[in-house]
Amino acid sequence: VQLQASGGGLVQAGGSLRLSCAASGRTFSSYAMGWFRQGPGKDREFVAHSGRYGASTNSADSVKGRFTISRDNAKNMVYLQMNSLKPEDTATYYCAAGARVISTTARMITSYDYWGQGTQVTVSS
């Protein structure tokens, strides 16, 4: 599976961005999808997860109520809608795919098999 993330950019605090991740290769619906981020000088951290068909999602407490993950299996796409952005959301955002992800492991980096190249999000105050 190849993953290509896009949609990042520079936005003012309180603004919105929608990240997209295009997947190619094997059957997209065979994979749970996740978004992670890595801020300057920080470790990579979990942002959001979607099960294979999008019915099961969860997100980090830090983004809950502001970020929404969704997917379109017909288009091999996963999205991250980010609203009410804060300067602390500044990071490189990565999409990831995993064939064996379950709800209890969805927040773990090691649960995912494939990673996109990342897209930069910068939120100015």
Side-chain angles (χ1 to χ4, degrees):
V1 175
Q2 290 84 45
L3 302 174
Q4 179 77 35
S6 61
L10 174 64
V11 63
Q12 289 188 329
S16 298
L17 280 175
R18 187 196 197 202
L19 304 184
S20 299
C21 177
S24 60
R26 298 182 180 180
T27 306
F28 182 62
S29 60
S30 297
Y31 295 89
M33 298 298 296
W35 285 98
F36 289 76
R37 68 186 182 185
Q38 187 164 14
K42 298 181 179 179
D43 294 332
R44 192 170 298 191
E45 64 176 3
F46 169 78
V47 175
H49 154 264
S50 170
R52 292 182 297 164
Y53 300 101
S56 172
T57 63
N58 63 83
S59 57
D61 289 344
S62 59
V63 306
K64 200 159 291 184
R66 300 188 298 122
F67 291 11
T68 303
I69 187 172
S70 62
R71 65 189 294 165
D72 185 337
N73 286 353
K75 295 182 178 180
N76 285 12
M77 296 290 294
V78 63
Y79 306 99
L80 185 68
Q81 178 66 45
M82 306 188 295
N83 299 327
S84 302
L85 282 160
K86 304 175 180 180
E88 51 263 43
D89 295 319
T90 294
T92 301
Y93 284 72
Y94 299 90
C95 58
R100 294 169 298 277
V101 179
I102 57 176
S103 59
T104 54
T105 64
R107 297 169 183 250
M108 299 170 58
I109 292 172
T110 53
S111 296
Y112 295 84
D113 308 303
Y114 303 97
W115 292 80
Q117 87 291 357
T119 185
Q120 178 67 37
V121 172
T122 303
V123 184
S124 63
S125 57

